[in-house]
Amino acid sequence: RRVHGDVLCIVYVVSICCSLTNQFPNVLMPKFNLFPRLDFLAYVKRIKISYHPGRENTHVCTQIVRHMTSDRTKKKFPQLEASYELLGYSHPARVEIEFSSGKQINFDAEKYSLREMQLQMDKMQYDAHFEFMKANSLEAKGGDEE
């Protein structure tokens, strides 16, 4: 009989915590974003897109063009050299990307989704991000003791 009472007590406490979590979601269970996603154009030096708008599966190119030509992106990445070319003939869509580290990657855009391209670029972007963090670290500027 005692065990039954303890179980009821635990269920009651859990139900109170759940109702508090719904009312105050950030009080009991804070969200942590330990590994934030980088923007698609983060650490990209140059991007060139060429596609024929009438071909199938070119919506990815349209999304990237909209993203790179938006005012918000131009303010966020002023050093980005972005260009696009609308082809008048039926040719496979191409996305050519050069990173700030000098590495280049090319995509046949009709075969990839935007997320798949991002996954291919992640390693190069994070390498460039870590190099940037090392170069601009407060510890590095404080003076090396070696």
Side-chain angles (χ1 to χ4, degrees), residues 77-78 143:
F77 305 110

Side-chain angles (χ1 to χ4, degrees), residues 107-124:
F107 292 105
D108 185 3
E110 295 175 359
K111 296 179 182 177
Y112 292 94
S113 70
L114 194 58
R115 182 71 185 132
E116 291 170 337
M117 284 186 196
Q118 181 72 47
L119 289 173
Q120 294 280 327
M121 294 168 49
D122 271 348
K123 173 83 171 107
M124 290 181 235

Side-chain angles (χ1 to χ4, degrees), residues 74-135:
K74 289 179 181 179
K75 288 179 185 175
K76 189 173 182 180
F77 305 110
Q79 77 287 355
L80 177 66
E81 297 173 24
S83 63
Y84 64 96
E85 180 180 11
L86 300 177
L87 302 175
Y89 52 91
S90 186
H91 194 282
R94 299 283 304 160
V95 177
E96 301 170 5
I97 299 172
E98 182 181 345
F99 293 93
S100 59
S101 61
K103 295 180 183 177
Q104 294 183 353
I105 189 167
N106 297 320
F107 292 105
D108 185 3
E110 295 175 359
K111 296 179 182 177
Y112 292 94
S113 70
L114 194 58
R115 182 71 185 132
E116 291 170 337
M117 284 186 196
Q118 181 72 47
L119 289 173
Q120 294 280 327
M121 294 168 49
D122 271 348
K123 173 83 171 107
M124 290 181 235
Q125 282 182 318
Y126 277 101
D127 288 344
H129 179 67
F130 287 131
E131 290 300 319
F132 176 79
M133 295 301 282
K134 285 179 188 177

Side-chain angles (χ1 to χ4, degrees), residues 18-68:
C18 288
S19 67
L20 286 176
T21 315
N22 290 336
Q23 292 174 359
F24 307 104
N26 293 330
V27 173
L28 294 176
M29 300 293 227
K31 289 186 177 180
F32 294 105
N33 195 2
L34 297 177
F35 301 104
R37 286 187 184 165
L38 290 174
D39 189 278
F40 185 81
L41 298 172
Y43 300 101
V44 172
K45 179 180 177 183
R46 186 176 299 122
I47 182 168
K48 181 183 177 191
I49 299 172
S50 58
Y51 72 105
H52 183 275
R55 282 182 66 106
E56 294 183 17
N57 300 325
T58 58
H59 59 279
V60 173
C61 294
T62 306
Q63 289 176 338
I64 298 171
V65 168
R66 284 184 187 153
H67 180 58
M68 71 185 195

